[in-house]
Amino acid sequence: MITAVWILTLFIAVLVTAYGKAGRLAWGAVLALALAAGIYLRVLPAPVMLTLTLLFAVLALPLLVPALRRSLVSEGLLRVYRRILPPMSQTEQEALDAGTVWWDGELFSGQPDWSKLLAFPQPKLSPEEQRFVDQETEELCDMVSDWETTSLYQDLPPQVWQFIKDKGFLGMIIPKKYGGLEFSAYAHSQVVMKLSTRSSAAAVTVMVPNSLGPAELLLHYGTEDQKNHYLPRLARGQEIPCFALTSPWAGSDAAAIPDTGIVSKGVYQGKEVLGLRVTWNKRYITLGPVATILGLAFRAFDPDRLLGGTEDLGITCALVPTNHPGVNIGRRHFALNTVFQNGPTTGKDVFIPLEWVIGGRERVGQGWMMLMNCLAAGRSISLPSSNTGMAKLAVRTVGGYARVRQQFKMPIGRFEGIEEPLARMGGNLYLMDAARTMTAGAVDLGEKPAVVSAIVKYHLTERARSVVNDGMDIIGGKGICLGPNNFLGRAYQQIPVSITVEGANILTRSLIIFGQGAIRCHPYVLKEMAATRETEQKKAVRDFDAALFGHIRFTVGNGARALVMGLTGSHFVRLPQNVAPETRRYYQQLTRFAAAFAFLADISMFVMGGALKRREKLSARLGDILSLMYLCSATLKRFEAEGRQAADAPLMHWAIWDAMFKAQNAFEGVISNYSNRLVAWFLRRLIFPLGRPYVVPSDQLGHQVAKLLIEPSATRDRLTLGMHLPRAEDEPVGAIELAVEATIAAEPVEAKLRAAIKEGRLAVAKPEDRLAEAIAAGVISEPDALLVKRAKRLTDQVIHVDDFPQDFGVSEMLKLNQHRAAA
């Protein structure tokens, strides 16, 4: 009996010590006390206790003395680690070094500090930015429509291009001293989001010059002469920029670009100067066909050592005027009926002076580092904002449509079959907007969140695809027939563009999120890798020892924490006092999931080593867990920042349950696919000792969310805040807004009519005759009849599907174009 008590006490002591991530002295004390107690109580035969004591002295004591540990253990392990660590190219190293670690690092720690999350300031617009969003951006929305740009102009109309240039839309990130607007990242996001609820062509045209491109690169790396020349011209729209990176043979593997620049001498403006002869073949270049300044990435070579140093200088970025001899632009791609300017560019042996390299001669070969450091900010804003805008358009319009469209004498939005996709749409949008806002706020705090930007790029574009697909299912035939009254068809066509650009989603999920996160966000892996590259041996051993044993303590601690929180349901996890009571359990369960994720990630890296990089499905699922924890964090942050709106709670609860259920499934997906079944059994018992805690969001919760989408309310307005909402009847979105109001206003009158028919006061007449009969019978008044007629007229307009002449109106459009050209 006493032996069992001793073993149980030892297990609890070890678990508590590991749970607290205690240091070496605490571990030594616990083990020494356990041995002393065992000897005193004679819990085991004397030879066994003697053997345990000797093992402790031989194995444990050297580990507890740093100098002995380094010489006996760490130095040898460092040699092994150096042999097995795969070589890393310069481009891989620069990608890893780029950007910053932010809240993703807290999640990877296994013990996120929720007070930090709640303390992040909520981004807000300045008065100047708010005025721009409310006036210039609204005016731009009024000037365009997706139907006209795609079917009539195949481009933005000339007057819209001029408005974009004149009002400074192309210079939102450029400082005021250069003539730009110098807007915050959040303002940039708000502008792109609003434009995306109206016209993809306008949104992309504004978005791209303010993302990764010439302006961003010049601001961080350009020479003073380059900044003073180009930035004012870019800010006032005198120059239209593009950036050419993708090649036919280097898409997702952008670092493998085959485009070359050979250092040589050539003639420029009548003088012989040092420069590069550049050959390139690029595609998918947004704004490329109309650009006046071409940002160009290529690999520079110096075979004659004219710059000194090596022959392969590395990836280099330059700015090339598109009117420069040899530059070919103008042709366009036609990407799924999107008509924003996008196309290929080529050039062969085009000589450019060395001063056209961004940053000048000293920046030759530093292009990949420059691109990676600038990528995170743009990727954090552009696609997350545009896709959140499309989702807001879908939720607002489809929710309204489901309210006014009736079948079987009932709005379709009240059928359970429609409630299910409506709930997904509302919950996904609430989460998307939360992640968009929090990430833009991080950029404004000075962060360049490399991993987080990949998370929001992938998950917000995927959720936008889900939202739009659900919307199309609900509106049915209305959605599949294109025309000026179709409010969702173009978004449905264009969603795959977002999925593909700025890192294809399959690549982002399978390789980048966890592949980069496991190194950048982990508190010890990058330090271990750095130690292997340290040339001074004593420092290398010392650094490796500190990182390795810190890593071991970290892994054991997270394993213990995951087990304890799994056994206790995480009910005893301590949280900040200012957490909302209705969200308390979510913070506790997220803490549990964070510890389990950190432990699972470490075990996966230990068991599989470098092979984990090739196990892309497992890497993707590990990335899903990290991503979903980030999205949950953003959702909880939003609920707090918006004042814990009780009416919005169903949206928050649905988003969290959905994300946590998916994260739970991702855990299971990793564990179930371990080749080592013993390790899989151990992981499952440790992470889910009492089973999995989450299920899909309930039908009752989905009903509450769906109801919020089909009824006018402050919650519905907050959910779609920031979108363009026209009020004209001849606008498809405006017609829906007016039809919803008219339908609700007419419902009491419709109820009177139904009651009168049931009571026999009215005959079951044709609908067109019923109103006159009801007025004559005193059931309703003339104003009541007008309400019913208005609701009927607007609803007819909303459900109307466009039709065209046999040639789809091509001849009419040609005549209109000729008329406008003549004018």
Side-chain angles (χ1 to χ4, degrees):
M1 180 65 183
I2 195 169
T3 300
V5 172
W6 180 78
I7 292 173
L8 179 61
T9 303
L10 176 61
F11 174 76
I12 293 173
V14 168
L15 198 61
V16 169
T17 306
Y19 187 96
K21 298 182 180 178
R24 55 189 172 84
L25 295 180
W27 276 103
V30 167
L31 295 175
L33 285 172
L35 282 171
I39 292 170
Y40 177 76
L41 297 171
R42 299 179 181 179
V43 296
L44 294 172
V48 176
M49 293 306 302
L50 179 62
T51 301
L52 290 175
T53 303
L54 290 173
L55 284 173
F56 176 75
V58 172
L59 298 178
L61 286 178
L63 295 178
L64 297 174
V65 180
L68 284 174
R69 189 178 67 205
R70 286 195 287 268
S71 60
L72 296 177
V73 179
S74 299
E75 189 169 0
L77 288 177
L78 176 60
R79 287 194 295 269
V80 174
Y81 197 65
R82 278 173 167 160
R83 285 200 305 270
I84 65 175
L85 189 68
M88 185 174 295
S89 68
Q90 181 183 348
T91 53
E92 287 178 314
Q93 185 62 53
E94 287 171 347
L96 282 176
D97 292 341
T100 60
V101 176
W102 187 55
W103 183 247
D104 45 334
E106 283 291 321
L107 294 171
F108 223 114
S109 74
Q111 198 169 358
D113 184 349
W114 298 110
S115 60
K116 286 184 180 179
L117 176 77
L118 298 175
F120 291 142
Q122 187 72 355
K124 297 184 183 299
L125 298 177
S126 69
E128 179 188 4
E129 292 169 341
Q130 188 67 64
R131 180 196 59 77
F132 190 88
V133 171
D134 292 341
Q135 295 181 20
E136 281 87 346
T137 310
E138 276 290 328
E139 188 175 351
L140 177 53
C141 286
D142 287 333
M143 296 174 70
V144 294
S145 78
D146 255 356
W147 177 250
E148 284 193 353
T149 56
T150 56
S151 301
L152 183 60
Y153 297 104
Q154 300 291 303
D155 189 7
L156 292 173
Q159 67 272 19
V160 174
W161 269 105
Q162 196 59 49
F163 183 86
I164 287 172
K165 296 175 183 179
D166 293 343
K167 298 300 181 180
F169 280 93
L170 303 183
M172 288 192 291
I173 66 169
I174 296 176
K176 290 181 178 178
K177 69 177 182 178
Y178 296 111
L181 297 177
E182 200 172 343
F183 278 176
S184 63
Y186 181 59
H188 175 192
S189 176
Q190 290 292 99
V191 170
V192 170
M193 185 189 71
K194 175 166 280 193
L195 291 174
S196 297
T197 66
R198 180 62 170 173
S199 166
S200 63
V204 173
T205 299
V206 168
M207 179 176 79
V208 168
N210 292 288
S211 184
L212 176 62
E216 178 86 358
L217 292 167
L218 284 168
L219 284 169
H220 291 284
Y221 302 107
T223 66
E224 288 304 311
D225 285 345
Q226 289 171 340
K227 292 177 183 178
N228 291 330
H229 175 76
Y230 280 115
L231 290 177
R233 298 166 66 85
L234 290 167
R236 59 178 177 261
Q238 191 173 343
E239 300 279 8
I240 302 295
C242 71
F243 192 82
L245 176 62
T246 305
S247 299
W249 294 99
S252 296
D253 186 12
I257 52 176
D259 313 285
T260 59
I262 308 301
V263 178
S264 60
K265 292 182 179 180
V267 177
Y268 177 66
Q269 293 182 339
K271 297 180 181 178
E272 185 180 69
V273 297
L274 193 59
L276 299 120
R277 293 197 178 276
V278 187
T279 297
W280 71 91
N281 179 14
K282 305 286 191 179
R283 62 182 181 182
Y284 311 144
I285 311 307
T286 301
L287 298 186
V290 296
T292 61
I293 184 73
L294 170 67
L296 190 61
F298 55 89
R299 184 172 289 277
F301 293 92
D302 187 9
D304 297 327
R305 305 298 197 277
L306 296 176
L307 297 180
T310 61
E311 179 179 348
D312 185 351
L313 301 176
I315 293 174
T316 301
C317 297
L319 293 180
V320 183
T322 56
N323 61 2
H324 187 62
V327 177
N328 299 312
I329 64 165
R331 295 188 64 81
R332 297 175 65 178
H333 299 309
F334 194 28
L336 293 176
N337 258 356
T338 56
V339 294
F340 60 84
Q341 293 287 338
N342 182 279
T345 175
T346 61
K348 184 173 177 59
D349 291 332
V350 178
F351 181 79
I352 64 171
L354 211 57
E355 65 191 39
W356 287 4
V357 172
I358 297 176
R361 177 172 179 158
E362 57 268 30
R363 291 290 184 185
V364 172
Q366 296 184 24
W368 191 245
M369 176 273 295
M370 294 156 59
L371 290 170
M372 290 299 97
N373 277 311
C374 291
L375 174 64
R379 191 168 61 181
S380 295
I381 297 168
S382 298
L383 291 172
S385 304
S386 60
N387 281 263
T388 301
M390 279 193 282
K392 289 195 175 192
L393 171 68
V395 165
R396 185 83 181 199
T397 54
V398 173
Y401 182 92
R403 184 65 181 79
V404 303
R405 176 65 161 146
Q406 293 197 3
Q407 292 287 276
F408 308 103
K409 300 181 181 180
M410 187 169 74
I412 64 171
R414 291 179 181 157
F415 286 89
E416 283 199 358
I418 300 296
E419 281 186 347
E420 188 173 18
L422 280 175
R424 284 196 298 266
M425 294 174 72
N428 277 329
L429 175 56
Y430 187 87
L431 178 147
M432 290 171 65
D433 209 12
R436 174 192 71 89
T437 301
M438 188 167 106
T439 308
V443 176
D444 281 330
L445 291 174
E447 300 288 345
K448 293 181 178 179
V451 176
V452 165
S453 70
I455 288 172
V456 292
K457 188 277 170 183
Y458 172 77
H459 284 275
L460 268 60
T461 56
E462 288 293 344
R463 285 173 186 263
R465 172 153 63 179
S466 173
V467 168
V468 173
N469 283 349
D470 280 334
M472 288 290 286
D473 285 351
I474 291 169
I475 64 176
K478 171 74 175 180
I480 63 174
C481 294
L482 292 175
N485 289 298
N486 187 319
F487 50 84
L488 199 57
R490 292 300 188 197
Y492 177 74
Q493 283 185 309
Q494 295 163 12
I495 276 288
V497 177
S498 298
I499 300 295
T500 302
V501 301
E502 288 193 14
N505 277 10
I506 291 175
L507 166 84
T508 302
R509 177 174 177 259
S510 300
L511 296 177
I512 294 178
I513 295 176
F514 181 75
Q516 192 171 12
I519 299 175
R520 287 303 312 276
C521 302
H522 197 289
Y524 296 105
V525 169
L526 199 59
K527 294 175 183 177
E528 290 166 341
M529 295 174 66
T532 66
R533 296 191 296 271
E534 174 59 52
T535 55
E536 204 278 295
Q537 181 64 8
K538 286 185 178 180
K539 185 176 186 308
V541 173
R542 187 170 59 251
D543 291 349
F544 184 75
D545 175 80
L548 175 64
F549 284 91
H551 192 161
I552 293 171
R553 184 170 65 250
F554 175 79
T555 303
V556 172
N558 281 320
R561 287 171 54 78
L563 176 61
V564 171
M565 286 186 280
L567 290 170
T568 61
S570 68
H571 282 281
F572 302 104
V573 174
R574 286 184 291 181
L575 298 172
Q577 293 296 316
N578 57 338
V579 167
E582 59 265 48
T583 61
R584 186 173 185 82
R585 291 293 295 135
Y586 298 143
Y587 287 98
Q588 290 176 326
Q589 289 283 33
L590 275 170
T591 302
R592 171 190 172 182
F593 274 30
F597 165 72
F599 180 70
L600 181 61
D602 275 328
I603 295 299
S604 299
M605 288 188 282
F606 175 75
V607 171
M608 299 181 201
L612 181 59
K613 185 176 181 180
R614 297 186 295 276
R615 296 290 301 275
E616 293 172 17
K617 296 173 188 175
L618 294 187
S619 179
R621 294 180 188 117
L622 287 164
D624 288 343
I625 301 169
L626 177 62
S627 300
L628 290 162
M629 291 192 297
Y630 179 80
L631 298 177
C632 285
S633 301
T635 301
L636 293 170
K637 170 70 174 173
R638 174 180 183 172
F639 188 70
E640 290 286 346
E642 292 183 350
R644 305 178 184 177
Q645 299 287 340
D648 300 0
L651 294 162
M652 178 272 294
H653 288 304
W654 194 98
I656 295 289
W657 273 87
D658 177 70
M660 293 295 276
F661 177 71
K662 289 175 178 174
Q664 180 179 269
N665 286 347
F667 273 112
E668 183 60 39
V670 175
I671 295 169
S672 295
N673 286 281
Y674 257 65
S675 301
N676 190 318
R677 302 312 301 159
L678 180 62
V679 174
W681 179 91
F682 166 74
L683 288 170
R684 185 175 287 108
R685 296 303 176 274
L686 185 143
I687 292 173
F688 297 120
L690 302 179
R692 288 176 281 177
Y694 279 92
V695 295
V696 295
S698 70
D699 290 346
Q700 179 57 33
L701 182 57
H703 167 73
Q704 295 171 18
V705 173
K707 190 175 179 181
L708 291 172
L709 268 58
I710 66 173
E711 302 285 353
S713 67
T715 293
R716 185 168 180 256
D717 290 341
R718 279 190 293 271
L719 187 62
T720 56
L721 185 66
M723 71 174 288
H724 177 63
L725 280 175
R727 297 285 298 176
E729 290 185 16
D730 60 349
E731 288 274 3
V733 177
I736 292 173
E737 291 291 298
L738 296 171
V740 170
E741 295 171 6
T743 297
I744 292 172
E747 280 181 345
V749 183
E750 297 278 10
K752 291 180 184 180
L753 292 171
R754 287 193 299 271
I757 292 172
K758 188 175 182 180
E759 295 166 2
R761 298 169 60 193
L762 289 178
V764 185
K766 294 180 180 179
E768 57 267 24
D769 300 330
R770 190 177 298 154
L771 292 178
E773 182 184 350
I775 293 171
V779 175
I780 62 172
S781 65
E782 287 280 0
D784 287 340
L786 290 176
L787 289 176
V788 175
K789 290 178 179 178
R790 173 173 166 78
K792 175 68 167 59
R793 177 175 58 79
L794 287 169
T795 300
D796 284 344
Q797 186 171 338
V798 167
I799 66 175
H800 171 72
V801 173
D802 296 292
D803 53 68
F804 301 92
Q806 185 66 29
D807 68 349
F808 289 103
V810 171
S811 57
E812 293 180 10
M813 286 192 288
L814 289 173
K815 288 178 183 178
L816 182 58
N817 276 332
Q818 291 169 359
H819 175 73
R820 289 182 174 176

